Amino acid sequence: MIFLRRFSSYVTTKWLASNISSQNLKIGACALPGNAESALIPHHIPGACEMNPSDFAISTSHARNMLPPAKDFEDYVSSRGISNSSEVILYANVPHLSYSLARLWWCFNVFGHKNVRILYGGLPQWIKDGYPVKNEPSAIGPAEFKAKFDVTLLKSFSDIFENISSSRSLVLDVRNHEVFQNAHIPKSKHFNLADVFNEEGNLLSKEKLQAALKEYMDKPLVASCQRGNLACILLLAAKEAGISDASLYDGSFEDYSSRVKSSNHKNVRILRGGLPQWKNDGYPLEEKISAIQPGQFKANLDESLVKSFDQIVENITSGRFHLMDVRKPEKFQNGHIPNAKNLGLANVLDDDGHLLSKEKLRPLFKEYTEKPLVATCLRGNSACVLYLAAKEAGISNISIYDGSFEEYDSRANS
């Protein structure tokens, strides 16, 4: 079919009508953003169940409507009768491509289900072409879906913050141009989303999409908007244009601006050699304790530096980040978190017990730079040494599993 060769993420009403009786085919009706009415009302395509990204989205202290843990998504789509072998077709009650449809398409992809497409023209085109509709909800039996997280489709605040200095990726912001000019992520560029749409509000042909995105193909592309919804349309357009290295900054500008405004105290350093070195270098000491005047400090937790038990459990299946255990090899072999790797602290310290030079530290982390790092130990203390070593080696995307193996072992066996 000519249409399907042009749009790999779309199907026509004719194709859907011809395959609607397939047992593996599952149809999801997606409501318009902000519409409280069910997508199944007043009528729907036979066999469709309602599916909306807002149903399983979570909110953090920095942004709303964020991607949920894998288990939440698994439970949600399983309850809709979808398994890993299902062919999923999504549609809306409008003929144009809505960001909720694109977001739902991206959520399936990021959780490892690539066999998902969108009905071109939605329900209006289905009705226009003379195909039947139902008024009553269809009976949907549960299935079992297991997520396999695709880390290449998602960027975090740490990734974006590191990119400001490295410029490894190109961040494209699809918000209104006036909004973009008012405030945006440093080094991001504005992209007019209208450039990927035809007059009907659907994506242009592959050739026209390639022309619209031609100047943005020399680096990996990161799509951004206000929260991470509208940007999914750009990801869909990029895929249709043949761009494979494209990801989403989930939370987008809302997440970024909230974290940047937080007064996390980064202006803190360590005296190399401590008090002995101070004395050895001949600097003065005081015998009396100095009088300290109280100050005022307001803490704002930087969540990008801490991992929770739930995130560690999710990572066992998703492999989203490298988990590095700094305990001694014999302790590690006796028991460790699944998928963790052992990197003893002796590897990052010199004979005096100080960190190696930056030049010697970098080779130790070379093979772990393609994913974020999470340091762990027994209780979350020794792992901080690895965190400091990674920072000195120039790795910005590293965090600590506070509680580490002691917490994991206790909760996993509960």
Side-chain angles (χ1 to χ4, degrees), residues 21 71 140 167 220 298 355 363:
S21 60
K71 184 64 166 60
I140 305 294
S167 296
K298 294 294 183 181
L355 290 181

Side-chain angles (χ1 to χ4, degrees), residues 1-271:
M1 186 180 293
I2 295 175
F3 186 89
L4 294 182
R5 286 201 297 268
R6 290 177 57 203
F7 294 96
S8 63
S9 297
Y10 278 112
V11 298
T12 61
T13 56
K14 182 179 180 180
W15 183 94
L16 180 57
S18 299
N19 292 274
I20 199 168
S21 60
S22 171
Q23 283 191 329
N24 272 347
L25 188 74
K26 304 297 177 182
I27 304 172
C30 185
L32 286 177
N35 190 346
E37 190 174 69
S38 169
L40 302 179
I41 297 174
H43 37 242
H44 57 275
I45 295 173
C49 63
E50 184 157 20
M51 296 188 69
N52 301 302
S54 58
D55 292 344
F56 51 78
I58 64 169
S59 293
T60 70
S61 59
H62 296 290
R64 293 161 285 176
N65 299 318
M66 299 280 282
L67 196 69
K71 184 64 166 60
D72 291 2
F73 186 79
E74 288 175 345
D75 292 344
Y76 182 82
V77 299
S78 294
S79 70
R80 266 67 179 170
I82 295 172
S83 68
N84 293 84
S85 62
S86 298
E87 182 169 15
V88 180
I89 306 299
L90 307 173
Y91 78 88
N93 290 351
V94 292
H96 60 268
L97 176 63
S98 68
Y99 71 69
S100 54
L101 260 184
R103 173 78 181 188
L104 190 55
W105 168 86
W106 176 79
C107 288
F108 270 102
N109 275 270
V110 81
F111 282 118
H113 197 74
K114 311 299 182 182
N115 195 5
V116 55
R117 290 183 285 177
I118 294 171
L119 177 65
Y120 193 92
L123 183 63
Q125 189 65 48
W126 177 266
I127 295 173
K128 182 180 179 180
D129 291 341
Y131 296 115
V133 293
K134 285 187 65 176
N135 296 324
E136 298 297 324
S138 302
I140 305 294
E144 183 178 19
F145 178 86
K146 290 296 181 182
K148 187 176 181 180
F149 194 83
D150 188 345
V151 68
T152 66
L153 300 182
L154 181 68
K155 289 291 182 287
S156 65
F157 170 78
S158 298
D159 296 321
I160 299 301
F161 193 78
E162 187 272 338
N163 189 68
I164 294 172
S165 57
S166 71
S167 296
R168 293 177 186 173
S169 302
L170 175 61
V171 180
L172 289 184
D173 191 323
V174 301
R175 295 176 299 160
N176 178 282
H177 190 253
E178 292 181 0
V179 175
F180 174 82
Q181 288 183 317
N182 186 51
H184 58 267
I185 298 168
K187 293 191 178 180
S188 63
K189 293 184 178 181
H190 179 258
F191 182 83
N192 185 4
L193 207 53
D195 291 345
V196 302
F197 286 123
N198 60 24
E199 294 179 354
E200 298 171 341
N202 286 303
L203 292 182
L204 296 169
S205 67
K206 180 177 182 179
E207 294 75 18
K208 291 182 178 180
L209 286 174
Q210 287 176 334
L213 296 168
K214 184 178 180 180
E215 64 178 290
Y216 309 115
M217 293 184 176
D218 58 334
K219 288 183 179 181
L221 189 154
V222 179
S224 178
C225 53
Q226 184 63 25
R227 293 182 195 144
N229 296 311
L230 197 62
C232 292
I233 293 177
L234 179 58
L235 291 181
L236 184 58
K239 182 178 185 295
E240 295 306 309
I243 298 174
S244 59
D245 201 348
S247 56
L248 175 73
Y249 175 22
D250 198 27
S252 289
F253 187 74
E254 184 172 288
D255 181 76
Y256 178 85
S257 60
S258 172
R259 292 178 186 272
V260 168
K261 290 176 182 176
S262 298
S263 57
N264 312 109
H265 201 72
K266 310 295 185 184
N267 192 14
V268 55
R269 289 181 286 178
I270 295 172
L271 177 62

